[in-house]
Amino acid sequence: MTDQLQVFNTPQEMRAFSAAARAAGKRLAFVPTMGALHAGHLSLLDYARPLCDLLVVSIFVNPLQFDRQDDLDHYPRTWEADRRLCAGHGADVIYAPTPASIYPEGFLTKVSVANMTEGLCGAHRPGHFDGVTTVVLKLFNAVQPHLAAFGEKDFQQLSVISRMARDLDLDVRVVGRPTVREADGLAMSSRNARLSPAERAKALCLWRALSRARSLADAGQREAAALAAAARAEIEAVPEARLEYLEIVDAENLEPLATLDRPARLCLAVWIGNTRLIDNLALN
Ligand code: PAF
């Protein structure tokens, strides 16, 4: 298949393209990724495609957001497959910067969103969200998109990036899109590829925990502690699953919530073997 996909490897090339496109009145939509594209990413491309003239996907495994070297070393890199998927889902540009072009010798700056990054994943992954916001701001500066789409699966990430865009008056609309799940409820994630078949079966406890809390909330339970306890029991029923955190938070500011008197989110992180999985669900 021949395609018109262009690939840029430096912020300078990307920015020159975007500046010319903007000057010509084009609307740019952007899907930032770390590659290893799956149906969750593709749903973001499919969402953004009709909303823009030019669709840009970035593929950059950002070293700054990894708190463990082995996680960075084992992060899947599937360039050829990713390229084909981007072309098949209507992308015009892949922005795949080299690490040296993003973090040149002497790089000193960090972008940090306070409070919202302290709980949930932030409490267990020191520096992770500073790494995310720093790279996303750099990606936004190079791509200059009108719209950027992120998955709700990384709910804290989406909230933090939305807040950064608001606080720094960024001229980009940050859009969150629903988590894409396998037929049995497992949230799509690049990390699922690391699960053995037996581990994959155990990983379904995340969805069972979320579903249990949701059905109790739908039936009228308003006490967060009771909902969290019921969800926790689903994880604890699987001996191989190690719960890192499970919390019900205010969906707006991510503060812990005692009563479901406003939009709430149940968020959790669970280790299955050596693989850390996260998921979340709205409880309204
Ligand atoms: O969600 C991801 O894949 C990454 O955290 C992101 C937003 C591309 C930043 O590196």
Side-chain angles (χ1 to χ4, degrees):
M1 184 174 75
T2 55
D3 58 66
Q4 302 302 312
L5 197 52
Q6 300 192 67
V7 179
F8 300 120
N9 299 120
T10 66
Q12 293 74 18
E13 288 168 356
M14 183 67 242
R15 202 178 163 102
F17 174 89
S18 292
R22 275 188 163 246
K26 305 284 187 203
R27 263 191 82 73
L28 286 108
F30 179 38
V31 178
T33 83
M34 297 205 296
L37 302 184
H38 51 66
H41 297 112
L42 300 178
S43 76
L44 299 178
L45 270 71
D46 295 344
Y47 162 77
R49 180 62 275 178
L51 303 178
C52 65
D53 301 305
L54 292 166
L55 177 57
V56 181
V57 180
S58 66
I59 297 181
F60 178 64
V61 182
N62 174 32
L64 212 59
Q65 71 187 74
F66 284 81
D67 50 315
R68 291 180 304 118
Q69 185 63 38
D70 67 309
D71 194 24
L72 174 60
D73 293 344
H74 292 106
Y75 203 83
R77 287 154 171 93
T78 55
W79 170 255
E80 275 313 321
D82 289 349
R83 195 186 185 292
R84 269 197 305 278
L85 288 167
C86 286
H89 287 259
D92 298 289
V93 173
I94 298 182
Y95 175 39
T98 57
S101 75
I102 292 287
Y103 302 119
E105 189 83 13
F107 187 87
L108 290 177
T109 302
K110 189 168 76 179
V111 181
S112 195
V113 175
N115 298 4
M116 295 173 85
T117 54
E118 281 164 20
L120 306 173
C121 288
H124 300 270
R125 302 190 66 189
H128 168 71
F129 286 111
D130 289 356
V132 170
T133 41
T134 302
V135 83
V136 169
L137 185 58
K138 287 191 62 109
L139 295 170
F140 282 177
N141 278 338
V143 175
Q144 302 178 54
H146 296 86
L147 175 153
F150 294 84
E152 283 184 355
K153 181 175 153 284
D154 295 291
F155 190 74
Q156 189 174 16
Q157 167 173 283
L158 169 63
S159 308
V160 167
I161 291 169
S162 303
R163 181 56 73 100
M164 171 183 75
R166 194 170 102 190
D167 287 353
L168 299 183
D169 306 316
L170 302 185
D171 188 18
V172 53
R173 188 156 73 88
V174 174
V175 180
R177 297 292 301 161
T179 301
V180 178
R181 300 183 179 279
E182 308 264 11
D184 57 11
L186 184 69
M188 297 277 182
S189 163
S190 307
R191 291 190 166 85
N192 292 351
R194 296 189 202 167
L195 299 168
S196 68
E199 287 174 336
R200 196 202 168 289
K202 312 271 180 228
L204 291 178
C205 66
L206 279 84
W207 178 237
R208 280 199 297 273
L210 295 170
S211 308
R212 175 91 185 113
R214 155 95 46 105
S215 59
L216 290 173
D218 286 350
Q221 177 57 266
R222 302 284 90 188
E223 294 311 313
L227 295 167
R232 199 172 292 118
E234 295 290 343
I235 307 293
E236 287 167 357
V238 178
E240 295 84 356
R242 186 165 62 78
L243 185 61
E244 187 177 272
Y245 71 77
L246 185 155
E247 277 184 55
I248 295 173
V249 295
D250 179 322
E252 186 60 32
N253 59 20
L254 307 185
E255 301 275 344
L257 211 55
T259 308
L260 263 62
D261 53 4
R262 68 201 83 167
R265 207 90 188 180
L266 170 55
C267 301
L268 78 173
V270 177
W271 286 85
I272 306 285
N274 291 323
T275 307
R276 180 178 181 275
L277 300 173
I278 59 171
D279 205 346
N280 67 84
L281 199 62
L283 300 177
N284 294 320

